[in-house]
Amino acid sequence: MNVKIEETWRQQVGGEFDKPYFLNLTRQVREEYGRYACYPPGHLVFNAFNLCPFERVRVVIIGQDPYHEAGQAMGLSFSVPEGIAMPPSLINIFKEIEADLGKPMPANGDLTRWADQGVLLLNATLTVRAHAANSHQQLGWTTFTDAAIKALSDHRENLVFMLWGGFARGKKYLIDTKKHMVLESVHPSPLSANRGGWFGNHQFSRCNAFLESKGLAPINW
């Protein structure tokens, strides 16, 4: 398989590309993109990996699947391109950052600036059909992204994994909690956040405190 993915990631997960599930996955994804509007654009499917090489990862934020409306998905969990209105979950993320760290709400929701600092913004499912949330969840993407999470847990140290909501928290079994920090929370979506547990959880300052305790630079959230 000639998958266009950053080379250090290819060294870690390239073995997945020739497995039967991945061959079936790529066939189904190609069929979906050929028949329906799907997101993100093909060249951005592996954007999270391409912007954040394996050895530069410091923080992992796990989302469920891409935004499913036109112009939103850019291959980074929770992120939308400049010029696109911020979804409610992303607004709540920035509200908590403002309360936690005193940083004002940014002008746009493009989180490329986080990826450039070593924040892997990983959706468990990397593609979606337009207007149909979780429509590609059963195609096999989670087997691949689980392998990526496991590779980080096994071959890196002192990472921070941010697990927001029940789906992301279900990935905790893949992570060696003796080597890494795991921060768990409810999801920042309004339905979950307004019930309590998102606002005031200080995830971002706790993440930076951990990184600094290991002699690593904090994230400029």
Side-chain angles (χ1 to χ4, degrees):
M1 287 291 298
N2 183 27
V3 177
K4 294 182 179 179
I5 192 170
E6 193 273 333
E7 184 56 34
T8 62
W9 275 108
R10 180 179 295 278
Q11 294 167 13
Q12 296 293 328
V13 298
E16 301 296 307
F17 299 151
D18 292 318
K19 292 182 179 179
Y21 88 87
F22 199 90
L23 298 174
N24 188 53
L25 164 65
T26 54
R27 177 185 58 79
Q28 292 182 88
V29 168
R30 286 189 182 118
E31 289 177 358
E32 283 281 307
Y33 272 71
R35 295 179 61 190
Y36 308 101
C38 293
Y39 307 119
H43 70 284
L44 294 178
V45 169
F46 293 101
N47 199 28
F49 300 97
N50 294 335
L51 289 179
C52 195
F54 185 83
E55 295 298 335
R56 288 185 51 212
V57 176
R58 294 191 286 150
V59 180
V60 182
I61 298 178
I62 299 174
Q64 191 159 357
D65 73 333
Y67 295 124
H68 51 79
E69 299 301 330
Q72 292 182 311
M74 55 183 297
L76 304 175
S77 62
F78 296 100
S79 180
V80 291
E82 186 173 356
I84 298 296
M86 294 186 206
S89 293
L90 185 54
I91 290 174
N92 283 342
I93 289 170
F94 286 135
K95 284 182 177 178
E96 174 58 19
I97 290 171
E98 184 171 19
D100 188 17
L101 299 172
K103 292 179 66 69
M105 183 80 65
N108 66 77
D110 185 347
L111 303 181
T112 300
R113 60 187 181 275
W114 291 5
D116 289 342
Q117 298 178 73
V119 180
L120 181 67
L121 296 159
L122 181 65
N123 280 317
T125 298
L126 299 186
T127 59
V128 69
R129 189 188 297 180
H131 321 303
N134 299 318
S135 50
H136 288 182
Q137 191 171 27
Q138 303 304 318
L139 298 188
W141 277 124
T142 53
T143 302
F144 172 72
T145 52
D146 282 358
I149 295 167
K150 187 75 163 51
L152 285 167
S153 177
D154 289 350
H155 302 301
R156 295 290 313 281
E157 294 183 352
N158 300 326
L159 301 181
V160 179
F161 289 84
M162 292 181 160
L163 309 182
W164 301 338
F167 180 86
R169 293 166 85 170
K171 303 294 183 181
K172 187 176 180 179
Y173 79 98
L174 297 166
I175 303 163
D176 184 345
T177 56
K178 295 178 181 177
K179 293 170 59 181
H180 307 287
M181 183 179 203
V182 175
L183 295 173
E184 300 181 62
S185 171
V186 301
H187 196 275
S189 68
L191 183 63
S192 298
N194 293 337
R195 290 176 179 167
W198 171 255
F199 297 110
N201 63 28
H202 302 290
Q203 293 248 320
F204 303 96
S205 60
R206 290 164 65 196
C207 170
N208 280 351
F210 175 82
L211 292 174
E212 290 180 298
S213 75
K214 302 300 181 181
L216 303 171
I219 303 297
N220 180 13
W221 298 106

